[in-house]
Amino acid sequence: MSRIRLTLAYDGAPFEGWQSQPGDNTVQDVLEAAAAEVAGGEVRVSGSGRTDTGVHALGQVAHFDAPEGSKMDAGAWMRALNTKLPAAVRVLAASGVGADFHSRFSAVGKTYRYEIDTAPVLHPLRVGRAWHHPKPFEVGVLRAACELYLGEHDFAAFAANRRDGKEPDTVRTITRAEVEAAGGTVSVIITGNGFLYKMVRLLVGGAVRVAEGREGLGWLRGKLEDPGAGKCQYCAPGGGLYLVEVEY
Amino acid sequence: MSRIRLTLAYDGAPFEGWQSQPGDNTVQDVLEAAAAEVAGGEVRVSGSGRTDTGVHALGQVAHFDAPEGSKMDAGAWMRALNTKLPAAVRVLAASGVGADFHSRFSAVGKTYRYEIDTAPVLHPLRVGRAWHHPKPFEVGVLRAACELYLGEHDFAAFAANRRDGKEPDTVRTITRAEVEAAGGTVSVIITGNGFLYKMVRLLVGGAVRVAEGREGLGWLRGKLEDPGAGKCQYCAPGGGLYLVEVEY
């Protein structure tokens, strides 16, 4: 068996997220269709984790097992997949890995970037690629709010209910939560050892709520200290979110 | 009569260019539809010039005459149009102007930017927003080729035949023709007192042909010195072109 690791970029706009769904147009669906066309038979592609509808990837990681007897090396797979994939998905790198590598279970960290566009009028070339937020908020307060997320916490208040009901362990460690402001765009960069369903968007939504002055820092701290007391209700839209990198 | 000047940005991807066409989805069509909805009657919107299918605008300029008796000021028009327009078109600024202002005939210059993406694999978020050109070319030679365009020339060799057959005067003056290279993108910035049909894309296409080493600088110079001897056949794709600014 020959296992291939892929580094992928995609435009989230035309897809119903990463995860394969019957009848849906997902990134996993088009990857498996492209791989099947190249291999001449069914191929199952596993990703490091799901991304939701509209969420973009700059460095998603996935893996698959080449069919028995395949003579193609990783570079040949990359070139062949890129000829079959829609332009909205691209393999940026491919390498052969051992059977012990798993894109999801071997991952030790992930970095996301969330972009907030503060221009009075959203530029047409930014549609679906940022959260348009023209109402003023304090960048300094946003930074202070994001710093509360650093460290190990039970993030249950920042997890949407999964459709399958599973979410056994809601403790995660955030090692980076930075805010950058440049040219009308405020970006939140978050690195952690793992993320719950919609967690990054809920972290950003909650921090922006505080930066708008509509909630205090104590409200946000309470969601971390007493996660059972009530979920964060403010989920930033999918189009502003970019999966930057998966670490192994 | 009250004439309103608009500064517009648009994503060229979803449109069949600027110019209104029967049954076509053009920028002018959606602007006139939005203005008619706001005004409650037909409004004719004139632009500084056409942009082709896929071409983007960061600062297109247009004007229209508000219906007799309209009490709306320019700011109210801007806000109202932005609520009616698709997100791919936005009014960035609006001002009241005199009846002697005409977005096309009053224009004294235009600046375009053309983006060439040289990455081995085109990033999905750059699809339709740059010419993907992974084959090597010499940026220094591209710069030298673009410098040939500076000054007053008969650019007939760099004009596609218009569907209406009109192109009475093909002499134009180019005052800026610069090449910038940053992060895998090579950009050509061109300013002139006017441009013929598809002229910027033919100027870029011809210059890239020379930078690839497939034609010499003398070939390009010949197209300027003897414009009747044969047209440039190399037209760079529309998605890489951005109308940056119109000067008055």
Side-chain angles (χ1 to χ4, degrees), chain B residues 212-236:
Chain B
E212 289 170 334
R214 302 206 283 177
E215 298 285 355
L217 283 167
W219 168 83
L220 201 63
R221 199 180 288 111
K223 300 257 171 245
L224 296 166
E225 291 174 354
D226 186 7
K231 286 187 183 278
C232 173
Q233 303 293 326
Y234 310 105
C235 187

Side-chain angles (χ1 to χ4, degrees), chain A residues 131-147:
Chain A
W131 178 13
H132 185 217
H133 192 297
K135 280 190 209 161
F137 61 87
E138 290 292 332
V139 173
V141 177
L142 185 70
R143 191 169 283 127
C146 288
E147 279 170 9

Side-chain angles (χ1 to χ4, degrees), chain B residues 36-53:
Chain B
E37 225 183 309
V38 173
E42 201 176 336
V43 177
R44 169 81 187 175
V45 179
S46 299
S48 76
R50 294 179 286 178
T51 53
D52 286 323
T53 301

Side-chain angles (χ1 to χ4, degrees), chain A residues 9 87-88 90 121-122 124-125 127 129, chain B residues 9 87-88 90 121-122 124-125 129:
Chain A
R90 277 292 171 270
V121 174
L122 185 64
L125 295 171
V127 172
R129 298 191 178 187
Chain B
R90 276 294 171 267
V121 174
L122 185 64
L125 295 171
R129 299 192 178 185

Side-chain angles (χ1 to χ4, degrees), chain B residues 231-248:
Chain B
K231 286 187 183 278
C232 173
Q233 303 293 326
Y234 310 105
C235 187
L241 186 59
Y242 298 75
L243 172 55
V244 175
E245 195 183 2
V246 186
E247 289 162 71
Y248 292 92

Side-chain angles (χ1 to χ4, degrees), chain A:
Chain A
M1 192 200 69
S2 158
R3 182 160 288 190
I4 308 285
R5 168 182 165 163
L6 304 174
T7 304
L8 301 163
Y10 46 85
D11 177 359
F15 299 107
E16 305 288 324
W18 166 270
Q19 175 123 323
S20 184
Q21 289 174 45
D24 269 353
N25 176 33
T26 72
V27 179
Q28 192 179 23
D29 287 329
V30 300
L31 267 168
E32 292 186 344
E37 226 184 310
V38 174
E42 201 177 338
V43 177
R44 170 82 188 176
V45 178
S46 299
S48 75
R50 292 179 286 176
T51 53
D52 286 322
T53 301
V55 175
H56 313 289
L58 309 178
Q60 170 70 291
V61 174
H63 75 274
F64 65 94
D65 293 326
E68 295 294 334
S70 167
K71 303 279 184 215
M72 290 173 70
D73 67 8
W77 271 105
M78 171 172 159
R79 288 186 297 276
L81 288 171
N82 280 338
T83 65
K84 305 294 184 191
L85 285 164
V89 182
R90 277 292 171 270
V91 181
L92 299 183
S95 57
V97 288
D100 58 340
F101 175 84
H102 191 287
S103 55
R104 182 168 166 213
F105 302 122
S106 308
V108 296
K110 275 186 189 175
T111 297
Y112 284 92
R113 190 173 79 225
Y114 194 93
E115 296 196 7
I116 305 165
D117 194 311
T118 64
V121 174
L122 185 64
H123 198 286
L125 295 171
R126 294 282 283 160
V127 172
R129 298 191 178 187
W131 178 13
H132 185 217
H133 192 297
K135 280 190 209 161
F137 61 87
E138 290 292 332
V139 173
V141 177
L142 185 70
R143 191 169 283 127
C146 288
E147 279 170 9
L148 293 180
Y149 299 142
L150 289 168
E152 185 181 273
H153 302 280
D154 182 341
F155 286 99
F158 298 92
N161 292 320
R162 281 172 47 164
R163 273 171 281 188
D164 58 12
K166 290 183 200 164
E167 207 68 271
D169 177 11
T170 51
V171 175
R172 296 291 186 277
T173 300
I174 300 297
T175 52
R176 186 181 174 198
E178 288 168 18
V179 175
E180 293 174 359
T185 292
V186 176
S187 301
V188 180
I189 299 100
I190 299 188
T191 302
N193 66 347
F195 291 89
L196 306 169
Y197 187 40
K198 299 202 178 173
M199 177 169 152
V200 181
R201 292 160 60 191
L202 288 160
L203 293 176
V204 171
V208 167
R209 187 86 182 163
V210 173
E212 289 169 335
R214 302 208 282 177
E215 298 285 358
L217 282 168
W219 168 83
L220 201 63
R221 198 180 289 111
K223 299 257 171 245
L224 295 166
E225 290 175 355
D226 186 7
K231 286 188 183 277
C232 174
Q233 304 293 327
Y234 309 106
C235 186
L241 186 58
Y242 298 75
L243 171 56
V244 176
E245 196 183 1
V246 187
E247 289 161 72
Y248 293 92

Side-chain angles (χ1 to χ4, degrees), chain B residues 158-225:
Chain B
F158 298 92
N161 292 321
R162 280 172 46 164
R163 273 169 280 186
D164 57 12
K166 289 183 201 163
E167 207 68 272
D169 178 10
T170 51
V171 175
R172 295 291 186 278
T173 300
I174 300 296
T175 52
R176 186 180 175 199
E178 287 167 19
V179 174
E180 292 173 359
T185 293
V186 177
S187 301
V188 180
I189 298 100
I190 299 187
T191 302
N193 65 347
F195 292 90
L196 306 168
Y197 186 41
K198 297 201 178 175
M199 178 169 151
V200 182
R201 292 160 58 189
L202 288 160
L203 292 176
V204 170
V208 166
R209 187 85 182 165
V210 172
E212 289 170 334
R214 302 206 283 177
E215 298 285 355
L217 283 167
W219 168 83
L220 201 63
R221 199 180 288 111
K223 300 257 171 245
L224 296 166
E225 291 174 354

